[in-house]
Amino acid sequence: MIKLNPQQQAAVKLIDCPLLVLAGAGSGKTRVITEKIAYLIGSGIPAHQIAAVTFTNKAAREMKSRVAKLLDNSQTRGLRVSTFHSLGLDILRREHKILGYKAGLTLFDEHDKLTLLKNLIGHDVSFGDIENADCYARQIGQWKNAFVTVKQVEASHDPEEHRAGRLYANYIRSLKAYNAVDFDDLILLPVQLFQQHPDVLQYWQNRIRYLLVDEYQDTNITQYELIKLLTGSLGNFTVVGDDDQSIYAWRGAKPENISQLQHDYPRLKVIKLEQNYRSTRRILRVANQLIGNNPHAYEKKLWSDLGEGDLLRVICHKDEASEAQQIAAEIVHHKFKSGGNYGDYAILYRGNHQSRLFERCLRENNVPYFISGSTSFFAYTEIKDVLAYLRLIVNHDDDAAFLRIINTPRRELGPTTLEKLGVYASQRRVSLFSACNELGLNQTVPVKAYQRLQNFHNWITAAASRIEGGDTFEIIKEMLDNINYFEWLRENTATISAAERKMANVYELINWLKRIAQKDDTNEKPLAEVIVRIMLMDVLERNQEEQSASDQVSLMTLHSAKGLEFKHVFLAGMEENILPHENSLGDEDAGSLGIEEERRLAYVGITRAQRTLTFSYCTHRKRYGDVAECQPSRFLSELPSDDLEWTAKKQIDPEVKKQNALSFFAAAKTLTS
């Protein structure tokens, strides 16, 4: 194994003060974290008092795998390596009683959140149009991530914000009644818990004596508060991040959390990891010059000893169809010439809508490809609905499934009724489904609502009995007919054809379940066993990642590409209004939400490349049905011209290199003249 470089060694061994490791792209940050875990354990800190947190299950698994290669099982017993949200969930599970929850918390996904908000809006006209539910959902998430309380919002003198604050309060109250939390609560509630209960905070501070944080630049305000509370005034932590790769402002990430550390922890030490083990010197020189146009709390320059490398190419096309055709053809030609693998190539773009033409051209050239970040079959609303019905049939205590389908299709059960049901079930310590059939409930909810809940309970119970003794999958289809699910899809889908596609997905799911039930077995597996296998979402996630790692060209957005690397990268759509995105233009004062974040996105794309990098842009592109003229991205004019090779270089006047960005745009257009 290659030895740690001096900066990596220093980062591993410094444990007696707060530490910020500024880790540039490809500088070996994950290795530093895992080596530091081994060093901490070797220094006498028990593994069960060490926690490392990151943002994705994939990153957490990679850390665990690397640690396992450095230490044996006895040394790592009790070590916590997880996502931020998994840590938050563990805290809530242990401390739920203090927060007024019962055991078995339900986690609401975005669909559940949106459904609840629509119900709340639908039963109170003062909240406005139900179509605004998406906006309210985003706003509530932003408030939670920024640690903005209901009282702060309700105190606003702005009528719109005050109304949103009332909905915020109703939403939180309803979640509590359902014994549920949403994704943002997994960080917010532990922070509130620790602030209000010093004894609980002390317990967790003693349990986590040293904290390591990966991708620190992606933390939001609430996550930073959680870090500060857990590590206390001593700041026994190492945070590893790169402000140049902070590209999630739309999710609440605050790159300024990096500079805030120095203010909050005067003893903070900063170590820079600037040696890049991924890319050629030329690629890094281009990346450094681009990102140098952004302000920095700490300056750093990536460098490499992997050689100078090829010039970075800039290709101009007349339109997006030509762009896709040429990039597909170049991949085929380059692979044939170099004898490499399709998995060595990646096409990166700003928005998912750009992938369609690349898919078509790759298919026409018989090139295998994988689209990262594409919608999973299990993420479709109709698939979640049907699975929720089946989950409740095989497990009557599944409150999350109950809440998803109780009004899908609508059964005239409003949020007030469901809130009362939730309170009753919590008091009785029974599931929501069981509570529907208790006589005591009729003292709590109106007669008609009680009858509807009983009818639903009896219908599910009867369906479960029929499935147990009959043709499982035919009965499931009959169930869907019985509730007029297809009509429900038609009413809630923009077009008939879209509804038909959704129903086709449902039948595909049923047939797939049937194949699982009958696979390798003369006797059909019970539905409960089939559903358990389906719900192993972690396995499904791993399968998707394994598929993406096979010999296929990778198509992905720049956001999805973060953390990955490829020998050969095509960065497509390098145009104004695409990269930078049109929403960022004219918003120079928006900081990380504007041009600076778009520049960081371009930087992330450049630093994914190991050996070759090709920029691509069009002079014309179809937008909203019309063909519009395009300008090259301003970021191209910020790159060192001596490191670029234009496809029509002979047509470019050498003086263009000295001109400003506006002159650059005009000169670049001559490439196709």
Side-chain angles (χ1 to χ4, degrees), residues 310-465:
D310 297 338
L311 290 168
L312 279 62
R313 300 167 62 235
V314 183
I315 307 176
C316 180
H317 310 275
K318 64 179 181 180
D319 55 34
E320 62 267 41
S322 299
E323 178 184 49
Q325 288 166 2
Q326 182 165 344
I327 289 177
E330 289 212 3
I331 289 174
V332 172
H333 176 72
H334 190 275
K335 178 185 179 295
F336 176 77
K337 187 174 69 173
S338 65
N341 300 310
Y342 283 122
D344 296 336
Y345 301 87
I347 304 173
L348 310 181
Y349 36 78
R350 179 63 176 83
N352 279 311
H353 67 279
Q354 294 171 257
S355 70
R356 184 178 58 83
L357 286 173
F358 291 112
E359 287 186 75
R360 188 179 75 186
C361 291
L362 291 172
R363 282 199 304 266
E364 289 174 354
N365 285 276
N366 295 316
V367 175
Y369 64 88
F370 173 80
I371 303 181
S372 177
S374 57
T375 303
S376 164
F377 180 70
F378 296 95
Y380 289 123
T381 299
E382 62 273 18
I383 300 304
K384 286 187 171 185
D385 288 345
V386 175
L387 283 176
Y389 270 101
L390 301 183
R391 282 164 50 193
L392 189 61
I393 283 172
V394 301
N395 176 14
H396 295 342
D397 292 331
D398 192 332
D399 283 0
F402 178 94
L403 289 170
R404 182 176 186 93
I405 62 173
I406 187 61
N407 269 319
T408 305
R410 295 195 188 284
R411 294 184 173 88
E412 298 183 51
L413 292 165
T416 302
T417 296
L418 295 179
E419 184 179 332
K420 290 178 179 178
L421 174 66
V423 171
Y424 177 84
S426 180
Q427 291 172 342
R428 292 280 298 140
R429 299 182 181 277
V430 297
S431 70
L432 297 171
F433 181 81
S434 298
C436 292
N437 200 42
E438 291 201 355
L439 289 174
L441 182 63
N442 64 7
Q443 304 298 316
T444 302
V445 301
V447 174
K448 286 187 177 179
Y450 177 65
Q451 290 174 345
R452 292 186 184 111
L453 289 170
Q454 269 204 321
N455 289 341
F456 177 74
H457 176 279
N458 294 339
W459 181 76
I460 289 288
T461 303
S465 297

Side-chain angles (χ1 to χ4, degrees), residues 70 141 295 307 314 319 479 535:
L70 297 173
V314 183
D319 55 34
M479 282 174 49
M535 299 314 295

